[in-house]
Amino acid sequence: MTNSGSTSQSRTKKTIPVHPGPDFLSNLPDNIIEDILHHLPIIDSARTSVLANKWRYKWLGITQLLFDEHCMKLSARRILTDKLASIVNSILAQHQGKILKFKLSVLYCNTDNAKTYIHKWIDILSNRGLRDLTLENQIGIAVLVGDWFYGCEQLEVLKLKCWTIELNNSFNTFKHLKDLHLEKVNFSADDFKSLTSRCPLLEKLTVIEIAIPRLEVRCSKLKYLHAQGVFYELRIENGEHLKFLLIHQSTSIVIVRSFQQKVKETFTLQTVFASLASIESLEVWSHSLEFFAVGQIPMSLPNMLDCVKDIFMAVNIMDLRQIAAAFCLIRSSPNLKRLRIGAWIGQMTYNAVEVANFWDKHNGHRSCFDHLNIVKVEQSTCEGFEVEFISYLLKNSPALEQMTVEVLDSIPDEDIMLFEQNLLIEGRSPQTKIEVSKTTKRLMDYPYGWALMVALGFNELAAAHPRTAKFSVVVVVIFSIVIGMILSLILLILRKLYPYAFSIVINSVQPVLSGVMGVWVGMITGTVVQTAILFSMTYRTNWNKEASYAKMRIKQWKEEARDNINDI
């Protein structure tokens, strides 16, 4: 009895009363709860209804509905099917309050009712104060959406990808639209011109691959223009407020020969930049200079680009006409401060007389880039007319402080050193610092790209980046293991199929190879031992110490190169 009483008493003493603490989730301010819900995918927002009583219906009042890759993680769910449409219908039916932003991003539309669904949704959203609308059809065929979105008079941002638009004559204006993004959207050149002219407050316009050969933009408030595709005319009217211009001709003029005559007449430096005196930043990508080089190329534009501070251009360094077009834009920007050149090599041939006449003409033309401080040449191959091109900039830039040339990683070190010596010989301002280094931006262009990661790691040692060098080695080892495992898995899965394909060959060489079986075993054993030794050496390497050694060697080589130049 005594023992049982003491046991029950001890059990009573061990009981610890639990007092529920304050409900922090329910006590959060409404604005914080709304901010949390806005940063969650819509599915996760719906799941927060079980957290607390106060959260139960909060997700139904969020002002952003985003049906994108964050909401639909599996590719199968990113297809606009009748099932997905029913989910969107259900959420819109339950939603309470305003919806300021709506985004639908799918891979493609797998329903004949896509137009009907979207028309219905936009009709609902237009009555909820919609201001930001994004519809993306990533890889599917363009779907006709009609004129439904013209009822969204409060729209400020409109982004469409892979849709077909029909412009309604009864449509007046997007009174509040400031940002318009059109990618792979099908409509006529006249409809495009009419649409942009009916957006009085439009400030940002992005046009990507819309298959319109003639781009005419009428936006008096426009500040940002990105035009990408294949077009033989780019006419910008009322561009007095335009600050940023990006021109991207994505295809060579050789492929669209039918455009050549029209390009020569309408896509010239004089016509495109006729009324763009307020531009501050200019980017000319891909084959754009090739298009400009078709027509007449003046030494400088009639109307100077006095406000331009930054220029980025992609230039075929073998094409003298493209170089002339680049020089024209640089000369026409007297207040230019920063210049980036993406150099690439194309198939162009000139005789010695043409080359001599070209450089005599441009070197004889008085040019002075008084405000140019920084020049960066990317993807250099140390070939073509790069030395002449860079030398021209060095001679005519008295205020130049930094000249950086990034050479492709595939170029031999001997060629790079010779290239750098040629640049150092050329005349330049005393304060100009010339830096030539290797770049890895085009590493994946090569079929052996991952193999180059090892070489990249040791190049990083020379740049005094020990952590980057170590990371490069780790990456290449991991990927080698992963690729080996994948290939082994494929062979294992197909083990019942591939033996039949190779049985005849194997049986033919088997008698011969059987005599060298011992050699094969020895090679495998040696490979395993070598791998273990290399792994141990890599793991125990002092990367900071190796980086300092590499830096000292590079410094010594540079001093020897300067001594050679002084001897010359």
Side-chain angles (χ1 to χ4, degrees):
M1 294 294 292
T2 307
N3 293 336
S4 61
S6 60
T7 303
S8 61
Q9 186 178 4
S10 61
R11 289 178 180 175
T12 304
K13 290 181 181 180
K14 291 181 179 180
T15 303
I16 301 176
V18 178
H19 300 285
D23 187 356
F24 292 106
L25 290 177
S26 296
N27 294 331
L28 286 174
D30 290 341
N31 62 328
I32 294 180
I33 295 177
E34 292 175 2
D35 189 54
I36 293 173
L37 293 175
H38 282 159
H39 286 81
L40 293 175
I42 190 168
I43 293 178
D44 293 337
S45 297
R47 291 169 178 165
T48 60
S49 59
V50 301
L51 292 177
N53 291 333
K54 189 176 181 179
W55 289 67
R56 181 162 299 175
Y57 301 105
K58 281 292 184 182
W59 75 276
L60 293 174
I62 58 178
T63 59
Q64 300 181 10
L65 297 182
L66 310 179
F67 300 91
D68 54 12
E69 64 275 8
H70 301 292
C71 172
M72 301 169 282
K73 296 181 180 179
L74 297 178
S75 59
R77 297 178 183 175
R78 292 193 62 196
I79 303 172
L80 182 54
T81 59
D82 293 331
K83 183 178 180 180
L84 175 59
S86 64
I87 295 175
V88 178
N89 286 333
S90 176
I91 292 176
L92 288 176
Q94 298 179 66
H95 192 276
Q96 304 168 0
K98 292 186 175 182
I99 302 176
L100 302 180
K101 182 176 181 178
F102 182 86
K103 178 180 180 180
L104 176 67
S105 178
V106 296
L107 293 177
Y108 63 92
C109 299
N110 191 23
T111 173
D112 297 332
N113 300 318
K115 177 181 177 181
T116 303
Y117 288 138
I118 295 175
H119 194 169
K120 177 183 177 180
W121 299 337
I122 301 305
D123 188 45
I124 296 173
L125 295 169
S126 62
N127 297 319
R128 300 287 188 90
L130 183 65
R131 296 183 181 179
D132 189 334
L133 173 62
T134 300
L135 296 176
E136 295 179 346
N137 184 16
Q138 298 290 345
I139 61 175
I141 300 174
V143 178
L144 178 64
V145 293
D147 57 357
W148 38 262
F149 61 85
Y150 297 135
C152 303
E153 297 181 354
Q154 300 299 319
L155 272 183
E156 296 180 0
V157 179
L158 176 60
K159 298 181 180 180
L160 301 175
K161 181 177 181 179
C162 206
W163 302 93
T164 299
I165 298 176
E166 289 182 347
L167 191 65
N168 193 331
N169 293 329
S170 62
F171 167 65
N172 291 323
T173 60
F174 278 126
K175 298 179 182 179
H176 305 281
L177 192 65
K178 295 182 179 180
D179 187 348
L180 178 60
H181 182 109
L182 303 173
E183 183 173 354
K184 297 182 180 178
V185 176
N186 297 331
F187 54 170
S188 66
D190 292 335
D191 284 348
F192 173 78
K193 179 180 178 180
S194 178
L195 176 62
T196 57
S197 63
R198 298 183 189 187
C199 304
L201 298 182
L202 190 63
E203 296 180 354
K204 183 177 181 180
L205 176 60
T206 303
V207 181
I208 301 176
E209 304 293 349
I210 62 172
I212 296 179
R214 193 179 76 254
L215 292 179
E216 295 186 59
V217 181
R218 286 184 180 180
C219 304
S220 58
K221 302 291 184 181
L222 194 64
K223 297 180 180 179
Y224 176 103
L225 176 59
H226 176 166
Q228 177 178 341
V230 183
F231 39 89
Y232 58 74
E233 182 177 0
L234 176 60
R235 190 176 300 276
I236 306 171
E237 300 180 10
N238 303 325
E240 58 269 14
H241 297 288
L242 191 64
K243 303 297 182 184
F244 176 89
L245 175 61
L246 189 156
I247 304 174
H248 184 171
Q249 292 280 11
S250 55
T251 303
S252 173
I253 190 67
V254 177
I255 298 177
V256 286
R257 291 185 181 276
S258 59
F259 280 12
Q260 193 156 0
Q261 184 58 36
K262 292 182 178 179
V263 167
K264 187 176 182 180
E265 298 172 356
T266 59
F267 194 85
T268 65
L269 292 167
Q270 297 93 319
T271 57
V272 173
F273 296 97
S275 59
L276 303 180
S278 62
I279 290 182
E280 296 180 359
S281 181
L282 173 64
E283 298 190 10
V284 185
W285 288 15
S286 193
H287 299 276
S288 300
L289 278 182
E290 181 183 353
F291 275 65
F292 281 129
V294 172
Q296 183 181 1
I297 306 174
M299 296 298 288
S300 59
L301 295 174
N303 301 320
M304 302 297 283
L305 306 175
D306 293 327
C307 297
V308 171
K309 303 293 191 302
D310 297 89
I311 292 181
F312 171 65
M313 294 184 290
V315 184
N316 178 1
I317 212 66
M318 292 290 289
D319 189 346
L320 293 179
R321 291 191 62 82
Q322 288 194 41
I323 295 176
F327 283 163
C328 174
L329 291 174
I330 296 173
R331 291 193 198 97
S332 303
S333 307
N335 296 311
L336 181 64
K337 292 185 177 181
R338 291 166 292 273
L339 174 64
R340 287 175 57 207
I341 299 293
W344 59 283
I345 295 292
Q347 295 293 331
M348 300 299 298
T349 56
Y350 296 93
N351 58 49
V353 176
E354 291 175 326
V355 173
N357 291 338
F358 175 86
W359 291 110
D360 288 343
K361 175 183 177 182
H362 287 274
N363 288 324
H365 186 274
R366 186 180 180 278
S367 301
C368 189
F369 315 127
D370 292 331
H371 302 279
L372 187 59
N373 300 128
I374 300 174
V375 175
K376 185 176 183 180
V377 179
E378 301 175 352
Q379 300 181 357
S380 170
T381 59
C382 303
E383 297 179 10
F385 303 109
E386 283 193 44
V387 173
E388 293 85 351
F389 184 92
I390 297 174
S391 299
Y392 180 82
L393 296 175
L394 290 172
K395 293 176 182 178
N396 294 280
S397 305
L400 187 62
E401 298 176 358
Q402 180 72 40
M403 167 68 74
T404 303
V405 182
E406 292 185 350
V407 182
L408 291 179
D409 193 68
S410 59
I411 307 301
D413 292 339
E414 296 79 7
D415 294 348
I416 296 176
M417 293 184 66
L418 179 61
F419 179 74
E420 184 175 10
Q421 289 179 8
N422 291 333
L423 294 182
L424 292 173
I425 293 173
E426 298 295 334
R428 66 186 190 279
S429 179
Q431 77 270 14
T432 303
K433 180 181 178 181
I434 299 178
E435 180 181 347
V436 180
S437 61
K438 284 193 173 183
T439 178
T440 59
K441 291 184 178 180
R442 292 184 60 185
L443 183 62
M444 295 306 295
D445 289 353
Y446 301 95
Y448 46 88
W450 289 113
L452 288 176
M453 285 295 290
V454 176
L456 169 62
F458 293 106
N459 287 335
E460 291 293 345
L461 285 178
H465 299 156
R467 295 180 62 185
T468 307
K470 184 177 180 180
F471 176 75
S472 301
V473 175
V474 171
V475 168
V476 73
V477 171
I478 291 175
F479 268 87
S480 298
I481 294 174
V482 171
I483 292 173
M485 293 177 65
I486 293 174
L487 293 176
S488 300
L489 181 62
I490 293 174
L491 292 176
L492 183 63
I493 294 173
L494 301 177
R495 64 187 181 277
K496 296 182 179 180
L497 298 178
Y498 73 85
Y500 297 105
F502 298 100
S503 60
I504 297 177
V505 178
I506 293 174
N507 288 332
S508 300
V509 299
Q510 189 269 341
V512 179
L513 295 180
S514 61
V516 293
M517 190 64 182
V519 178
W520 179 80
V521 173
M523 291 175 60
I524 293 298
T525 305
T527 302
V528 172
V529 174
Q530 183 186 29
T531 302
I533 294 174
L534 290 174
F535 179 82
S536 176
M537 292 175 61
T538 303
Y539 179 77
R540 299 175 61 183
T541 297
N542 187 334
W543 293 96
N544 291 313
K545 188 176 181 180
E546 293 295 328
S548 62
Y549 287 159
K551 188 175 181 180
M552 291 173 59
R553 287 193 293 268
I554 293 296
K555 184 177 180 181
Q556 180 181 356
W557 293 341
K558 286 188 175 181
E559 290 176 354
E560 292 177 356
R562 291 192 183 95
D563 293 339
N564 294 334
I565 294 172
N566 294 331
D567 293 339
I568 295 174

